[in-house]
Amino acid sequence: MSQYKSISDISVGMKASAFHLITDEKIRAFATISEDWNPIHLDEKYAKNSKFGRRIAHGAMVASFFSALFAMELPGAGSIYVSQNTQFKKPVFLDDTVLVEIEVMDIDIERKRVYFNTTCFVKGAVVLSGKAEIYIP
């Protein structure tokens, strides 16, 4: 478990990252939790006839990996996810390994807010990008 960081411990340019392998089990678990049963995520036959030619991961599942970095790494335990905007650039497929990266872009000490760039990569290509706002109590 991460240690709590106060806002004074954080500086612009700090980063955290993690790797996540996209598996059938993770996709099915996310479908169960989110109740998103879209066959593009779950049905190989259906997905084969789609523009992607195979199953893709839920975009929201991939974006959710940021939450773990915020809570467990930077800023760490106790931080509150205030907002996230996300642009889905490319599909993420089964057996892809996603590099999830967050980087501090700005800090508002008075409001106790830290602003991040959020990016996911597969094989060096950006598949998701966005910005997040985190409150540090």
Side-chain angles (χ1 to χ4, degrees):
M1 185 167 197
S2 78
Q3 294 213 340
Y4 173 81
K5 291 180 183 59
S6 73
I7 200 160
S8 62
D9 296 328
I10 298 169
S11 59
V12 171
M14 290 178 83
K15 292 182 181 182
S17 63
F19 289 96
H20 293 271
L21 176 63
I22 304 302
T23 65
D24 179 65
E25 294 78 17
K26 287 180 182 176
I27 289 174
R28 290 187 186 284
F30 190 83
T32 299
I33 291 166
S34 67
E35 298 185 6
D36 177 350
W37 304 104
N38 186 334
I40 194 69
H41 307 303
L42 302 165
D43 184 329
E44 195 65 51
K45 185 177 177 183
Y46 177 90
K48 186 175 183 174
N49 294 316
S50 74
K51 76 177 196 172
F52 304 114
R54 55 190 165 137
R55 290 170 53 198
I56 61 172
H58 299 77
M61 181 182 85
V62 177
S64 75
F65 296 142
F66 296 126
S67 183
L69 281 177
F70 292 132
M72 306 311 297
E73 299 292 331
L74 181 65
S79 60
I80 306 296
Y81 212 149
V82 175
S83 70
Q84 173 77 51
N85 75 18
T86 305
Q87 295 179 333
F88 300 99
K89 306 283 190 175
K90 294 183 178 189
V92 176
F93 299 100
L94 260 66
D95 300 320
D96 278 348
T97 298
V98 179
L99 168 60
V100 181
E101 185 175 275
I102 59 174
E103 180 178 2
V104 176
M105 299 310 297
D106 196 16
I107 302 165
D108 184 337
I109 292 175
E110 190 173 295
R111 292 185 63 227
K112 298 182 177 182
R113 307 293 171 122
V114 181
Y115 302 90
F116 289 84
N117 276 343
T118 56
T119 313
C120 291
F121 304 88
V122 172
K123 298 177 185 169
V126 175
V127 295
L128 185 157
S129 66
K131 301 197 179 301
E133 177 181 344
I134 305 296
Y135 170 71
I136 301 181

